[in-house]
Amino acid sequence: MTTDKNMKEILLDTLDNLSAEKEGDLERFKFSLANANYEKKTIPKGQLQEADDRLKLVDLLCEYYKEQGAVNVAISVLEKINCRDSADKLKEARKKALGPQQTPETSANAYRVKYREHIRNKYSAIKDMNARLGENVKLNSRYTKLIIVKEHRHKKQRENEIMASGRRHEEIISNYASSITIGHLFELDEDGQLPQIVMLLGPAGIGKTLTAIKIMLDWANGELYQSRFDYVFYINCRELNFVSEQGSIEDLIFKNCADQNAPTKEILMNPEKLLFIIDGFDELRFSFNQSESNFSSDPCEKQSVEIVLSSLFRKKVLHKSYLIITTRPTALEKLKQCLEDGHCAERYAEILGFSENAREEYFHKFFRNEEQAIKAYNFVEDREMLFTMCFIPIVCWIICTVLKQQMEAGEDLAQTSRTVTDVYVLYLSSLMKGHSSNSKQQIQMNLKGLCSLAADGVRRQKILFEEDEIKQHGLDTADSLFLNENMFQKDLDCEHVYSFIHLSFQEFFAALSCVLQKEETTVEDSETILKNVKMLLKRDTNNGNYSTLTVRFLFGLLNDERKEEREKMLSCKISPLIKETLVKWVEEKPTVSLFSYVGKKMTSYLEAFHCLYEIQEKKIVQSAMNRYTRLILTEHNFTKMDEIVLSFCIKHCCKLESLCLRQCSFQDEDMPRPCKQPRRAQYQHEPHHSPIYQLCQALMAPNSILKTLNLWKCRLTAAGCGDLADVLRTSQSLTDLYLYNSVEEAGVRLLCGGLKHPNCKLQTLELDSCRVTAAACGDLADVLTTSRSLTELILGGNELGDSGVRLLCEGLKHPNCKLQRLNLESCRVTAAGCGDLAAVLRTSRSLTELHLGYNELGEAGVRLLCEGLKHPNCKLQNLHLKWCRVTAAGCRDLAAVLRTSRSLTELHLGYNELGEAGVRLLCEGLKHLNCKLQNLQFCDCHLTAACCEDLSSLLGTKQTLVELHLAGNSLGESGMQLLCEGLKHANCKLQTLRLKACKLSAACCGELSSALSNNQLLTDLDLNDNQLGAMGIQLLCEGLKQPNCKLQRLVLRCCGLTGSCCGDLSTVLSTSQSLTELELSYNFSLGDVGVQLLCEGLKHPNCKLQILGLGSCSLTAACCGDLSTILSTSQSLTELELADNKLGDSGVQLLCEGLKHPDCKLQKLILGYCDLTVACCGDLSSVLSTSQTLTELGVKWNNLGDSGVQLLCEGLKHTNCKLQKLHLSSVNVNEETQRELDAVKKRKPDMVIRIWKNW
């Protein structure tokens, strides 16, 4: 290495030559030196003037820049004053003095190889916190990629992260647009600037140090920053706190090197090729308030650690070097102050934690045993909150450690860590053991502080805390793995706040605060705890509510069986003080939400199930669940944990007879997730279960008495059918299974395995729209030949085709087949399939009902079908052929069936173009003495008046026909006249006649009136959607008033009625001894006048009307006084429909007067969409508390407001209230109102409260 003397001599020789070569060059050299900033230093002019000879000038240069630095400065000055020959000579002299292999560049390059090897050896292995002596882990075999973002998050974004869980949390942290990798930290920013300083932020345990070490190792391995940095140095701030002696940048470099022979001066000659990683800035105990005059520009100058670091941060030394500084967010402001004079580009980057894929990768790296890794990861992934927590590397490590210890001890994770509470307790216990260096008293003080802070936050619904609040609870933020530091922009300043690393930890500690027993507990303390717990239980446990998890953890912490074990783990006593309150709350929780259309209410109710799962006490769970005989859950996306919980509760619900899951989805393990391979593709040997496996296990419990299972649009696939098959094999009670899912051929095959089992008791199987094809029909046929119980099979909406039907028929023809009802609607069946079905009809001893609608059977298909129907062995009673392309030609064959069939009683031919000829042919068969048909449906069959002569003749001769549907046919006036001839015939036995939208007018009402006055059997007449008008009603009423008329139900919806019509109807009401139902809705011109006229008849003592429909009749408050009088006097009226009328509050207030009358018999009142507000709710409440008959009230789609519904609740809670069903709109139900409704349900558990979604 060159000596100091050599360098000085070289410099002196150069200045001597400079003076000799050209006069004035030496003075220009001194002038340039005085007016330039070299190495961030300028020699004062006064001192340069005093250096009046070359020797003094050399000494001055070496004093300021050190010897090698002085030579570098001299070269720069010479080049600047165009003395390039002298500069080149100085460079050559320096090179010669150093020797051929010892230039600064070659010396530093040669050493770099040795340095890289040293760094590789030093950082290639890390030590786990709980590792034994000599145990190490290879860094690259453990390190897992972290999500790093280069943007500041807003306060709301951070709150969303804290509160989110499961997939939602993963989406939030993975979808930031500005994510970045460690390899891109020094790339150009948006403004084209190259950052010289990178601030790498993150809370405790997020992976800052491991990332810093990973950068060191990757650089040493030649994988990172190769062309950018010649040397990378790691500086541990925690260690610097203990350095008391003075040092320099050079000394910090020496600490990174293997020995003290490193060519540090040569290394320092190229600062632009140096990267310093300052790890843990937040741990430094320095004030950094040093005066600028104290800063050093010499990397070899010894100063205090604080000054050395300040000089580096402010770029007073090595200003071209690069820095990565890791810190917690709390120290960010302080760091920025340290950097503010650096005048260089900076980059902000924050570590968020592991993505979902990274979490899975970490588990595999940690366990190194694939079977254990899969088992542990699946266990955590199934528990949503636990899976969420693993985004934090230190939490992930602790959870892996805890699970590995349990596995190695031979313990069953499903038992030792069954609940979320179990794992959180184990996690806390592990941390407490990890802080064994602290005194037991200190650990307990920290635990107490965390509990009190968490409880305070939950009470005030607060998740972000000021620093003063943290200190008030006796906490030290620097020593807590549970608290996270956050900094947000606020006006022109920044606010500093703290949070728990996730809301779940806050809620866990809040729950602990309620159950940890103090050494001395006063009566007042106990009362306060009970009061706080009752307040928590009152809150609606919706998603995102601050107390949801707290209540779950309360239940989990109070499990009797594990109480002693947990007390030992936490070194604290657990008080059972609040257990009775919790049990009472869950046992009395109303069931209203299960029958609600609003998804969030369903979620609220599932929270109660989660609580029961956490406590794991059979007696308590059964007591709470045995209230249910029927469960309906709608539109809920079940997480894995939801599935486990639901299954657990159903298993302990010993009285459940019906379970319906509508449009619910389950977390499918086979469903591809973004950037992730399906698990089965990765691990073929792994035991696999469908998403409904847990549910099916519960249904197979010996105590299950479930009869009906409905899984409607639940995204169930083939895999689920295997588990359902197991249920079919074992259940002694299941008789009805409804599946509306894409189970396909594979699913049906698996299902059939269970259906064929001799223990299977299933009677009804619905596979509607399940993507079943012909390939599955062979399996279904096998079921039909073996099943002793299956009587109904619904296969509508599947593309079975003729080939599928052929296979199916093989089973149907088997003598052991017990099927009675078969639905093949919309199954792509054609004429070819009808031959096989005919063979079934000829041989089946059980088939009585066949649905073939929406298949293009055509003439040929009907002909083949009829061959079977005519066979004497055919037992079919009910045949549906709507929309089957049946024409007149097919009617000839059907007529032949009608003449011969001994069993057929119901025939549906709607939506076929039968026409006049077809009806004539059918009527010939219908009139035959052997015909047994009772119900005939011709809806939308292109019938005209010409057909009615044959139908009329039929009515006059047929002794069995009691129901005729002719809706949607253009019969007109002449057709109706012909039809009435048959109705008036003495032999006519018709009881029900449907004539909706048959283009009838007033002109036909005279004949119809005459028919009514003569026919004593007709009881149900539907004239909906025919423009009869006032004249038509007047004529009709003449017949209705006759004593021979026995009509009970009359439908006149949308018939163009006006107010004047109602006088005639009123007379009918006052005279008819049979009319009990009158439907007048959608007659928009009826109005108040019409209702006032109607009321005259309704008041008559002879009036027998029970049901009156007046929806959408343009009514106002003006008619409500009259209706009120009816309500107070009528001895028969039990149902009143007034929806979609502008009655307003005043109108309903008038109605309420009648409703409160002791003689009022009304049972059902519908007031939806009637412009009601809170103003009328007091009156309705009064009705509810006094009426002895009202059992159903509909007030949906009104602006009652929450206060209005709460007023209704007052009446509902009254002991005299007899209401059984209430219809509301979701817009009128907030959290407080829902609590009131829950209180109603608590008192009256049989009441059904249906909350409708808003339009």
Side-chain angles (χ1 to χ4, degrees):
M1 180 178 277
T2 304
T3 64
D4 293 348
K5 181 181 177 184
N6 287 341
M7 282 298 174
K8 279 188 177 182
E9 286 175 352
I10 291 168
L11 196 53
L12 187 58
D13 288 344
T14 300
L15 294 181
D16 282 341
N17 293 334
L18 186 66
S19 178
E21 286 175 3
K22 190 177 180 182
E23 189 176 349
D25 280 349
L26 184 60
E27 291 304 316
R28 285 196 300 124
F29 181 90
K30 291 172 69 175
F31 178 81
S32 180
L33 197 58
N35 291 281
N37 188 349
Y38 296 100
E39 295 283 323
K40 289 231 169 185
K41 288 181 182 180
T42 302
I43 302 175
K45 290 182 181 178
Q47 292 187 35
L48 281 169
Q49 288 173 356
E50 290 176 7
D52 51 7
D53 62 37
R54 292 180 298 281
L55 189 57
K56 287 181 180 178
L57 183 56
V58 169
D59 286 338
L60 188 60
L61 279 166
C62 291
E63 180 185 345
Y64 263 82
Y65 300 114
K66 302 301 179 187
E67 289 73 12
Q68 289 186 21
V71 172
N72 293 335
V73 169
I75 292 169
S76 298
V77 173
L78 290 168
E79 288 175 341
K80 188 173 183 181
I81 63 174
N82 289 321
C83 293
R84 299 191 181 279
D85 287 342
S86 297
D88 291 340
K89 287 176 182 178
L90 180 56
K91 287 180 184 177
E92 189 63 31
R94 181 183 65 180
K95 183 177 180 181
K96 190 178 290 185
L98 288 169
Q101 301 301 319
Q102 291 299 311
T103 63
E105 292 82 0
T106 56
S107 177
N109 287 339
Y111 185 77
R112 187 162 64 241
V113 175
K114 182 178 181 181
Y115 179 71
R116 284 181 188 276
E117 185 180 355
H118 169 65
I119 294 299
R120 280 197 295 271
N121 293 335
K122 185 175 182 180
Y123 295 116
S124 62
I126 57 172
K127 194 171 184 179
D128 275 335
M129 285 183 284
N130 62 340
R132 291 175 291 231
L133 190 64
E135 282 187 337
N136 291 311
V137 177
K138 291 290 184 184
L139 176 60
N140 282 335
S141 70
R142 174 67 62 80
Y143 181 83
T144 306
K145 183 183 174 183
L146 294 156
I147 298 172
I148 305 174
V149 295
K150 55 180 179 180
E151 66 181 10
H152 289 274
R153 288 169 297 156
H154 302 299
K155 190 173 183 178
K156 189 63 181 175
Q157 287 177 309
R158 181 65 188 125
E159 286 180 344
N160 289 339
E161 282 177 36
I162 295 168
M163 296 176 70
S165 61
R167 303 289 172 206
R168 177 62 187 142
H169 184 272
E170 157 72 9
E171 287 171 11
I172 289 173
I173 68 167
S174 294
N175 290 343
Y176 283 109
S178 63
S179 61
I180 191 172
T181 65
I182 57 176
H184 296 89
L185 291 175
F186 290 102
E187 287 193 348
L188 296 176
D189 61 20
E190 292 80 2
D191 299 323
Q193 288 189 302
L194 185 69
Q196 265 191 275
I197 300 175
V198 174
M199 294 171 281
L200 190 59
L201 276 73
I206 204 69
K208 298 185 297 297
T209 295
L210 209 59
T211 299
I213 293 171
K214 175 66 172 170
I215 291 172
M216 293 291 296
L217 184 61
D218 283 358
W219 173 82
N221 284 329
E223 297 168 4
L224 190 67
Y225 304 147
Q226 291 310 290
S227 61
R228 190 173 297 281
F229 302 122
D230 287 346
Y231 283 88
V232 181
F233 303 111
Y234 177 78
I235 299 172
N236 187 308
C237 292
R238 185 178 297 175
E239 294 176 0
L240 291 183
N241 284 322
F242 300 100
V243 177
S244 55
E245 68 273 11
Q246 291 189 333
S248 64
I249 297 292
E250 185 180 32
D251 291 329
L252 293 176
I253 291 174
F254 271 130
K255 285 187 178 180
N256 277 265
C257 298
D259 51 51
Q260 296 299 302
N261 296 321
T264 53
K265 290 182 174 59
E266 288 84 347
I267 291 169
L268 290 167
M269 287 176 65
N270 295 300
E272 72 280 1
K273 287 291 193 176
L274 304 182
L275 170 63
F276 293 90
I277 300 176
I278 319 295
D279 185 27
F281 174 83
D282 53 284
E283 298 187 52
L284 292 172
R285 299 172 187 169
F286 310 127
S287 64
F288 292 105
N289 291 327
Q290 295 291 329
S291 168
E292 190 168 341
S293 62
N294 292 332
F295 296 151
S296 171
S297 60
D298 183 357
C300 300
E301 183 179 359
K302 294 188 181 293
Q303 296 275 13
S304 68
V305 173
E306 182 177 0
I307 291 175
V308 169
L309 289 178
S310 294
S311 302
L312 189 61
F313 293 152
R314 294 180 188 269
K315 290 296 178 180
K316 301 299 180 184
V317 65
L318 301 178
H319 71 282
K320 291 184 179 180
S321 65
Y322 291 79
L323 304 179
I324 292 177
I325 307 172
T326 76
T327 181
R328 294 190 191 183
T330 40
L332 182 60
E333 197 63 26
K334 182 178 178 182
L335 175 58
K336 284 182 175 179
Q337 290 170 6
C338 290
L339 302 175
E340 63 185 9
D341 296 329
H343 304 297
C344 61
E346 299 168 359
R347 168 163 281 156
Y348 168 97
E350 182 175 359
I351 301 175
L352 300 189
F354 288 146
S355 66
E356 178 184 349
N357 287 348
R359 276 170 252 190
E360 184 169 8
E361 181 185 339
Y362 183 88
F363 270 73
H364 283 272
K365 286 184 171 182
F366 180 92
F367 282 93
R368 290 182 285 183
N369 175 301
E370 189 175 0
E371 186 178 346
Q372 284 188 343
I374 293 169
K375 186 176 181 181
Y377 181 76
N378 289 354
F379 176 82
V380 170
E381 190 185 32
D382 289 351
R383 286 147 182 83
E384 187 177 60
M385 293 316 306
L386 211 54
F387 178 70
T388 303
M389 286 299 84
C390 283
F391 86 95
I392 304 167
I394 187 65
V395 176
C396 202
W397 177 82
I398 292 172
I399 288 174
C400 285
T401 301
V402 168
L403 296 180
K404 188 174 184 181
Q405 288 170 351
Q406 289 181 313
M407 287 181 186
E408 288 175 348
E411 295 174 347
D412 182 2
L413 295 184
Q415 296 301 318
T416 58
S417 305
R418 183 183 302 176
T419 69
V420 177
T421 309
D422 287 335
V423 182
Y424 273 58
V425 169
L426 280 168
Y427 175 75
L428 178 58
S429 172
S430 294
L431 278 186
M432 290 170 72
K433 288 176 185 175
H435 282 67
S436 56
S437 57
N438 294 345
S439 68
K440 183 178 179 182
Q441 184 179 6
Q442 183 61 45
I443 292 171
Q444 293 302 314
M445 286 296 291
N446 284 343
L447 181 59
K448 182 181 177 182
L450 288 166
C451 288
S452 61
L453 176 68
D456 186 48
V458 168
R459 260 194 308 277
R460 293 191 289 151
Q461 299 194 358
K462 185 173 183 178
I463 61 175
L464 298 176
F465 304 93
E466 305 292 332
E467 191 164 2
D468 288 347
E469 293 175 287
I470 302 294
K471 289 177 179 176
Q472 283 171 12
H473 292 277
L475 290 169
D476 177 9
T477 57
D479 191 40
S480 178
L481 273 174
F482 294 101
L483 294 179
N484 203 348
E485 311 94 340
N486 305 274
M487 185 176 291
F488 305 111
Q489 194 72 35
K490 187 176 184 182
D491 300 325
L492 298 177
D493 202 358
C494 286
E495 65 172 331
H496 229 128
V497 293
Y498 295 84
S499 66
F500 283 84
I501 54 177
H502 190 265
L503 181 62
S504 62
F505 279 108
Q506 181 174 337
E507 299 207 61
F508 176 68
F509 284 114
L512 263 181
S513 73
C514 296
V515 300
L516 289 185
Q517 190 169 302
K518 298 179 182 177
E519 291 181 6
E520 294 181 7
T521 305
T522 65
V523 174
E524 187 178 347
D525 290 335
S526 298
E527 289 176 352
T528 302
I529 291 171
L530 283 170
K531 181 182 176 182
N532 290 339
V533 169
K534 286 175 181 177
M535 179 192 73
L536 283 174
L537 298 177
K538 278 185 180 179
R539 289 185 185 164
D540 187 17
T541 50
N542 288 337
N543 268 350
N545 186 280
Y546 289 82
S547 61
T548 299
L549 278 173
T550 310
V551 177
R552 285 196 209 173
F553 283 130
L554 283 174
F555 275 84
L557 289 166
L558 291 172
N559 175 280
D560 279 342
E561 188 180 332
R562 298 202 171 171
K563 181 172 175 287
E564 188 176 334
E565 179 187 354
R566 286 173 178 166
E567 286 178 339
K568 187 177 179 181
M569 283 181 173
L570 302 175
S571 301
C572 300
K573 288 289 184 183
I574 294 176
S575 169
L577 174 70
I578 63 169
K579 188 168 185 177
E580 186 179 340
T581 302
L582 293 176
V583 171
K584 186 178 179 183
W585 171 77
V586 78
E587 286 182 348
E588 293 180 355
K589 192 168 178 65
T591 60
V592 60
S593 303
L594 286 171
F595 301 94
S596 164
Y597 266 28
V598 184
K600 64 178 183 179
K601 305 298 189 304
M602 192 100 51
T603 304
S604 168
Y605 209 83
L606 280 172
E607 285 303 325
F609 289 2
H610 274 277
C611 293
L612 291 171
Y613 180 80
E614 289 297 317
I615 201 165
Q616 291 284 318
E617 289 190 24
K618 184 177 179 181
K619 186 177 179 182
I620 292 172
V621 178
Q622 284 187 341
S623 177
M625 292 302 301
N626 279 345
R627 296 174 298 154
Y628 303 111
T629 58
R630 184 179 180 222
L631 286 180
I632 302 175
L633 298 121
T634 306
E635 296 178 23
H636 184 76
N637 296 323
F638 285 89
T639 65
K640 274 301 185 68
M641 199 64 208
D642 285 339
E643 294 165 30
I644 293 168
V645 167
L646 178 64
S647 304
F648 173 81
C649 289
I650 285 176
K651 187 176 182 179
H652 290 86
C653 188
C654 303
K655 296 184 179 180
L656 188 67
E657 295 183 357
S658 175
L659 174 62
C660 177
L661 303 179
R662 295 179 62 85
Q663 289 181 290
C664 294
S665 64
F666 298 89
Q667 201 175 98
D668 191 345
E669 295 179 18
D670 274 349
M671 189 177 294
R673 286 167 276 183
C675 306
K676 185 173 180 180
Q677 291 295 318
R679 241 191 256 172
R680 268 180 82 81
Q682 287 177 311
Y683 316 119
Q684 292 294 334
H685 65 279
E686 179 189 358
H688 175 74
H689 299 299
S690 80
I692 61 166
Y693 170 76
Q694 295 282 349
L695 176 63
C696 291
Q697 289 297 301
L699 297 177
M700 288 191 288
N703 59 347
S704 174
I705 61 166
L706 193 80
K707 296 177 181 177
T708 302
L709 176 61
N710 190 334
L711 299 173
W712 193 80
K713 286 190 176 181
C714 288
R715 301 181 188 176
L716 192 67
T717 57
C721 293
D723 293 312
L724 285 170
D726 289 338
V727 175
L728 294 171
R729 290 184 189 96
T730 56
S731 175
Q732 297 297 302
S733 59
L734 190 66
T735 57
D736 301 293
L737 177 61
Y738 300 92
L739 299 178
Y740 191 101
N741 299 273
S742 301
V743 297
E744 301 181 337
E745 176 193 349
V748 174
R749 181 167 290 117
L750 289 168
L751 203 62
C752 289
L755 288 163
K756 289 186 285 187
H757 197 277
N759 288 339
C760 178
K761 303 293 188 293
L762 204 73
Q763 297 172 16
T764 300
L765 173 63
E766 179 176 339
L767 294 173
D768 199 311
S769 303
C770 286
R771 294 192 181 179
V772 181
T773 62
C777 291
D779 297 286
L780 287 168
D782 289 343
V783 171
L784 295 172
T785 63
T786 56
S787 174
R788 302 171 183 176
S789 59
L790 194 66
T791 57
E792 183 171 5
L793 179 59
I794 301 167
L795 293 171
N798 294 292
E799 296 188 14
L800 306 184
D802 298 322
S803 58
V805 170
R806 181 172 294 112
L807 290 168
L808 209 59
C809 288
E810 291 303 313
L812 289 164
K813 289 185 290 185
H814 197 279
N816 290 338
C817 178
K818 303 291 188 295
L819 204 73
Q820 298 172 15
R821 292 174 295 281
L822 175 63
N823 187 320
L824 295 174
E825 288 187 349
S826 191
C827 284
R828 299 286 180 96
V829 185
T830 68
C834 292
D836 296 289
L837 286 168
V840 171
L841 294 172
R842 284 193 292 268
T843 57
S844 174
R845 302 172 183 176
S846 59
L847 193 66
T848 58
E849 188 171 330
L850 179 60
H851 293 249
L852 292 172
Y854 307 98
N855 289 293
E856 297 191 15
L857 307 184
E859 179 185 345
V862 173
R863 181 175 295 115
L864 288 168
L865 205 61
C866 289
E867 291 302 313
L869 289 164
K870 288 185 290 184
H871 196 278
N873 288 338
C874 178
K875 303 292 188 295
L876 204 73
Q877 299 172 14
N878 190 331
L879 177 62
H880 289 246
L881 294 174
K882 61 183 177 183
W883 229 308
C884 284
R885 297 280 181 99
V886 182
T887 61
C891 292
R892 186 185 307 278
D893 297 290
L894 286 169
V897 170
L898 294 170
R899 283 192 291 269
T900 58
S901 174
R902 302 173 183 177
S903 59
L904 196 64
T905 58
E906 192 168 334
L907 178 60
H908 293 246
L909 291 170
Y911 305 98
N912 290 292
E913 294 186 25
L914 306 182
E916 179 185 352
V919 171
R920 179 172 291 117
L921 288 168
L922 281 171
C923 286
E924 289 302 315
L926 287 161
K927 285 188 282 187
H928 196 278
L929 292 175
N930 289 337
C931 178
K932 303 293 189 293
L933 206 73
Q934 299 173 16
N935 186 332
L936 177 60
Q937 299 198 14
F938 281 144
C939 302
D940 284 277
C941 283
H942 293 252
L943 310 189
T944 62
C947 306
C948 293
E949 185 175 354
D950 295 290
L951 289 170
S952 179
S953 173
L954 173 67
L955 293 173
T957 58
K958 194 63 194 165
Q959 300 291 304
T960 58
L961 194 66
V962 295
E963 188 167 344
L964 178 61
H965 293 236
L966 296 171
N969 292 293
S970 300
L971 306 183
E973 177 187 347
S974 57
M976 195 64 227
Q977 287 173 346
L978 288 169
L979 210 57
C980 287
E981 291 302 313
L983 288 168
K984 288 187 282 185
H985 198 282
N987 288 335
C988 179
K989 298 294 187 290
L990 205 69
Q991 298 172 18
T992 298
L993 178 60
R994 301 270 192 265
L995 295 169
K996 177 184 176 181
C998 284
K999 295 192 175 179
L1000 308 183
S1001 64
C1004 66
C1005 290
E1007 289 297 326
L1008 188 54
S1009 176
S1010 175
L1012 291 171
S1013 64
N1014 286 283
N1015 191 311
Q1016 299 190 38
L1017 295 174
L1018 193 65
T1019 57
D1020 189 341
L1021 177 60
D1022 186 348
L1023 295 170
N1024 182 9
D1025 201 13
N1026 290 289
Q1027 292 302 305
L1028 306 181
M1031 182 60 71
I1033 296 302
Q1034 185 178 354
L1035 291 168
L1036 201 62
C1037 288
E1038 290 302 314
L1040 290 165
K1041 289 185 286 185
Q1042 297 303 313
N1044 283 340
C1045 178
K1046 298 296 187 283
L1047 205 70
Q1048 297 172 16
R1049 180 176 181 266
L1050 176 61
V1051 180
L1052 296 172
R1053 288 165 63 100
C1054 199
C1055 285
L1057 275 61
T1058 62
S1060 60
C1061 306
C1062 294
D1064 299 291
L1065 286 169
S1066 179
T1067 306
V1068 170
L1069 294 173
S1070 64
T1071 56
S1072 174
Q1073 297 296 298
S1074 59
L1075 194 64
T1076 58
E1077 183 174 349
L1078 179 60
E1079 176 54 75
L1080 299 174
S1081 296
Y1082 294 96
N1083 288 292
F1084 304 113
S1085 299
L1086 199 67
D1088 298 325
V1089 174
V1091 170
Q1092 288 162 358
L1093 289 169
L1094 271 178
C1095 287
E1096 291 303 313
L1098 289 164
K1099 285 188 286 188
H1100 198 279
N1102 289 338
C1103 179
K1104 301 293 188 294
L1105 203 73
Q1106 298 172 16
I1107 300 171
L1108 176 60
L1110 293 170
S1112 301
C1113 285
S1114 304
L1115 311 185
T1116 69
C1119 69
C1120 291
D1122 298 282
L1123 285 171
S1124 180
T1125 303
I1126 299 305
L1127 293 172
S1128 63
T1129 57
S1130 174
Q1131 296 298 297
S1132 59
L1133 195 65
T1134 58
E1135 290 188 27
L1136 180 58
E1137 157 78 74
L1138 292 170
D1140 196 20
N1141 290 293
K1142 296 185 181 300
L1143 306 182
D1145 298 321
S1146 57
V1148 170
Q1149 286 164 350
L1150 288 168
L1151 282 177
C1152 288
E1153 292 303 314
L1155 289 163
K1156 289 187 282 188
H1157 196 281
D1159 290 338
C1160 178
K1161 301 293 188 293
L1162 204 73
Q1163 297 173 16
K1164 181 178 179 179
L1165 177 61
I1166 304 300
L1167 296 170
Y1169 208 30
C1170 284
D1171 286 358
L1172 310 186
T1173 70
V1174 63
C1176 69
C1177 291
D1179 299 277
L1180 285 170
S1181 181
S1182 178
V1183 169
L1184 293 171
S1185 63
T1186 57
S1187 173
Q1188 296 297 297
T1189 57
L1190 194 65
T1191 57
E1192 184 171 353
L1193 175 63
V1195 288
K1196 62 184 179 183
W1197 301 323
N1198 287 292
N1199 190 23
L1200 305 182
D1202 297 299
S1203 53
V1205 177
Q1206 288 168 27
L1207 281 170
L1208 289 180
C1209 288
E1210 292 303 312
L1212 291 167
K1213 287 187 276 189
H1214 198 281
T1215 52
N1216 289 335
C1217 178
K1218 301 294 188 291
L1219 205 74
Q1220 297 172 10
K1221 188 179 288 188
L1222 175 66
H1223 301 263
L1224 296 169
S1225 293
S1226 59
V1227 71
N1228 295 319
V1229 181
N1230 65 6
E1231 293 182 14
E1232 185 179 352
T1233 306
Q1234 183 62 47
R1235 284 196 292 273
E1236 289 295 319
L1237 291 169
D1238 286 347
V1240 170
K1241 284 290 294 181
K1242 193 175 289 188
R1243 295 188 184 195
K1244 300 179 178 180
D1246 293 331
M1247 185 182 292
V1248 174
I1249 302 177
R1250 191 170 184 184
I1251 303 174
W1252 294 75
K1253 286 182 177 178
N1254 304 324
W1255 284 356

